[in-house]
C-alpha cells in the first residue's frame, strides 16, 4: 500500500510554529539595562546615555564595550573635557567588532588593530581612532589607543580585568583597568550650532505652535536652554493648534505654560530610539509632584509612533529636524495632559429609571471638561486615568494578539494540537496494512 502524503497544510503550519518561537532579531541588547545591574559602572553608564552613545551601541549588530569603573571614570572626568570631547574619548572604548574573553586570549600573532566608534564616526583624523589589542600571554591582555601623530607620546596601556557580559556574537562588555585616550580624541570638539526652534517650526508647518511659544518668553527660554543638553520637541501642526485654540484660551497662564512645556522631552531621541524605547517619558513640565507628573506614553505599532496622554493620542507625522542634540517632530494633535484635562469617555447606554423616582426632577449634570471642572473631580479622574494607563502599559495595551495573553495561549495551543494530530495521522496511515 502506498504511503499517504502529508496533508498540504502541514508544512506551512510547521513554518508558522517555528517563526512564532524564533527570537526577534531587533533589540538584541540594551547596554544601559545590562550595566544598570553593575553599580560599579554607574558613572560610565550615565555618560553613555548623556553622550547618546548608548543608542548608537544598541543599534549595532556586533559591538564590544570596554567599560571602566567609577574610580577610573573619576580620573577621566578630572580633565574637565567638554561633552562633545568626552563623547570622542568614550567612543574609543566602543569597538565595532566582537571580542569576548576567549577571543582576546587567542588573538592571531598576539595583536590586533580594532576600529572604534570614534574612528567609525569620521571624527578621528587620519589613522587615529583605532585600538591596539595585545595578548601578552600568561593571561595578560592590554589595550592602547593609536595616534595619527608619530611624535606624540604613546598612550598609556589599559589591561583586561574581567568579562562583564557576553552575548556571542552580538555584544561583549569587558572591564579594563583605566581609560583610553589620544591627543586626537581629547582635541576640543566643536559644539553643534544652536537651533532656532521657533523659526524652524514656523517654516515647517508648526507656525501657530511657534507663535504660542514666542508669546511666553520664560517657556521659550526653557526650551532653548534645554536644547543645549538634549531635547526632543513634539510640535502639533497648524490645523491641530487651530482646533485647540478655544480650549487654550480658557486656561490660566500657569496652565498654558505647563501645556507648552508638556510638548518637550528633555532628552534627544531619534525616531529609531522612540520606536525601540517605548514606555512612559517625562517632559519639561514634570515637577516631580504626585499630582503633577505630566508624563505621556510612547508607543510603536511597527509603522507609526504614537504619544498617549490619557486624554489624547497623537501620531508623529513628520520630522522637522533630527540633529543631535535636538530633534523636532510634527504631530497631528495637541498633547493634552491629564493634569489639565479630563479623559475622553465613551458613551454608555442610559440606565433605566429607578422605581418610585419622582418625575420632573432634573438629573445632576456631570462637571464640564477642561480646567473649569471641580478640583476634586479632576483629582479623582487623574488617579483613575493614571491607574488605567499603568494597566494598559503592563498589559501591552489591551486585547489582540500582542496584548491579550489568553488569546495568544489559545491560538498557540490550537496550532500545536493540530500539528501533533497531523503527525499522528501520518503514523497511523503509514503503519496500516
Amino acid at each position: 500500500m502506498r504511503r499517504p502524503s502529508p496533508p498540504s497544510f502541514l508544512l506551512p503550519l510547521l513554518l508558522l510554529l517555528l517563526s512564532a518561537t524564533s527570537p526577534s532579531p531587533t533589540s538584541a541588547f540594551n547596554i544601559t539595562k545590562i550595566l544598570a545591574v553593575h553599580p560599579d559602572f554607574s558613572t560610565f553608564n550615565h555618560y553613555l546615555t548623556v553622550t547618546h552613545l548608548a543608542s548608537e551601541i544598541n543599534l549595532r549588530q556586533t559591538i564590544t564595550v570596554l567599560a571602566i569603573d567609577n574610580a577610573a571614570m573619576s580620573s577621566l572626568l578630572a580633565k574637565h573635557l567638554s561633552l562633545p570631547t568626552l563623547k570622542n574619548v568614550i567612543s574609543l572604548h566602543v569597538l565595532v567588532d566582537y571580542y569576548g574573553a576567549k577571543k582576546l586570549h587567542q588573538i592571531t600573532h598576539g595583536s590586533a588593530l580594532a576600529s572604534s566608534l570614534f574612528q567609525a564616526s569620521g571624527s578621528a583624523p587620519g589613522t587615529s581612532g583605532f585600538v591596539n589589542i595585545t595578548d601578552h600571554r600568561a593571561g595578560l591582555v592590554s589595550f592602547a589607543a593609536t595616534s595619527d601623530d608619530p611624535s606624540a607620546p604613546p598612550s598609556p596601556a589599559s589591561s583586561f580585568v574581567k568579562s562583564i557580559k557576553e552575548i556571542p556574537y552580538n555584544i561583549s562588555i569587558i572591564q579594563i583597568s583605566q581609560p583610553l585616550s589620544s591627543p586626537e580624541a581629547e582635541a576640543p570638539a566643536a559644539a553643534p550650532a544652536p537651533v532656532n526652534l521657533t523659526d524652524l517650526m514656523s517654516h515647517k508647518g508648526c507656525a501657530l505652535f511657534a507663535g504660542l511659544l514666542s508669546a511666553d518668553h520664560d517657556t521659550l527660554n526653557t526650551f532653548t536652554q534645554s536644547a543645549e543638553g538634549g531635547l526632543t520637541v513634539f510640535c502639533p501642526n497648524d490645523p491641530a493648534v487651530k482646533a485647540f485654540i478655544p480650549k487654550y484660551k480658557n486656561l490660566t497662564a500657569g496652565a498654558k505654560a505647563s501645556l507648552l512645556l508638556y510638548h518637550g522631552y528633555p532628552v534627544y531621541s531619534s525616531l529609531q530610539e522612540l520606536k525601540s524605547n517605548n514606555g512612559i517619558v517625562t517632559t519639561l513640565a514634570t515637577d516631580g509632584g504626585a499630582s503633577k507628573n505630566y508624563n505621556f506614553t510612547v508607543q510603536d505599532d511597527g509603522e507609526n509612533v504614537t504619544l498617549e496622554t490619557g486624554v489624547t493620542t497623537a501620531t508623529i507625522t513628520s520630522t522637522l529636524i533630527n540633529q543631535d542634540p535636538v530633534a523636532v517632530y510634527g504631530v497631528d494633535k495637541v498633547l493634552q495632559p491629564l493634569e489639565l484635562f479630563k479623559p475622553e469617555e465613551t458613551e454608555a447606554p442610559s440606565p433605566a429609571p429607578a422605581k418610585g423616582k419622582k418625575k420632573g426632577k432634573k438629573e445632576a449634570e456631570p462637571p464640564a471638561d477642561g480646567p473649569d471642572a471641580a478640583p476634586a473631580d479632576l483629582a479623582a479622574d487623574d488617579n483613575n486615568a493614571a491607574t488605567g494607563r499603568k494597566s494598559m502599559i503592563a498589559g501591552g495595551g489591551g486585547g489582540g494578539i500582542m496584548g491579550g495573553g489568553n488569546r495568544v495561549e489559545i491560538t498557540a495551543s490550537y496550532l500545536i494540537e493540530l500539528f501533533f494530530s497531523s503527525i499522528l495521522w501520518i503514523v497511523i496511515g503509514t503503519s496500516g496494512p
Side-chain angles (χ1 to χ4, degrees), residues 142-160:
S142 65
F143 304 82
T146 63
S147 174
D148 196 42
D149 184 2
S151 62
S155 300
S158 185
S159 302
F160 169 79

Side-chain angles (χ1 to χ4, degrees), residues 50-229:
V50 170
T51 59
H52 310 301
L53 286 172
S55 57
E56 295 183 38
I57 292 171
N58 293 339
L59 291 174
R60 293 274 178 166
Q61 293 284 335
T62 304
I63 209 81
T64 298
V65 179
L66 309 178
I68 52 179
D69 62 17
N70 295 340
M73 274 298 296
S74 296
S75 65
L76 177 59
L77 296 176
K79 296 182 179 181
H80 303 290
L81 304 173
S82 67
L83 191 61
T85 301
L86 185 62
K87 178 178 181 178
N88 287 342
V89 174
I90 298 179
S91 296
L92 281 172
H93 296 73
V94 184
L95 311 180
V96 293
D97 199 355
Y98 181 85
Y99 286 93
K102 183 178 180 180
K103 183 177 179 179
L104 289 173
H105 293 93
Q106 296 178 348
I107 294 177
T108 306
H109 305 304
S111 65
L113 202 61
S115 176
S116 70
L117 273 187
F118 179 47
Q119 196 279 331
S121 67
S123 301
T127 57
S128 64
F130 288 89
V131 175
N132 190 20
I133 307 174
T134 305
D135 179 14
H136 300 279
R137 306 300 177 185
L140 177 64
V141 178
S142 65
F143 304 82
T146 63
S147 174
D148 196 42
D149 184 2
S151 62
S155 300
S158 185
S159 302
F160 169 79
V161 177
K162 65 182 180 181
S163 174
I164 299 173
K165 178 75 173 182
E166 296 183 17
I167 306 177
Y169 290 88
N170 296 125
I171 185 170
S172 171
I173 307 174
I174 60 179
Q175 180 185 0
I176 59 175
S177 59
Q178 61 181 345
L180 302 178
S181 192
S182 69
E184 291 83 359
E186 292 192 18
V195 177
N196 187 321
L197 291 174
T198 54
D199 185 64
L200 173 72
M201 295 175 186
S202 297
H203 288 86
K204 295 198 174 183
C206 293
L208 294 181
F209 186 76
L212 297 180
L213 277 180
S214 299
D216 189 332
H217 181 268
D218 291 338
T219 300
L220 178 58
N221 191 46
T222 301
F223 274 87
T224 303
Q225 291 180 349
S226 300
E228 297 176 2

Side-chain angles (χ1 to χ4, degrees), residues 26 50 167 231 287 362 380 406:
T26 59
V50 170
I167 306 177
L231 177 67
D287 65 0
K362 188 177 181 181
N406 292 336

Side-chain angles (χ1 to χ4, degrees), residues 25-60:
T26 59
S27 302
F29 53 80
N30 187 311
I31 181 64
T32 53
K33 288 185 178 179
I34 294 174
L35 289 177
V37 299
H38 300 277
D40 289 346
F41 300 91
S42 59
T43 306
F44 181 75
N45 196 19
H46 169 73
Y47 280 97
L48 285 180
T49 301
V50 170
T51 59
H52 310 301
L53 286 172
S55 57
E56 295 183 38
I57 292 171
N58 293 339
L59 291 174
R60 293 274 178 166

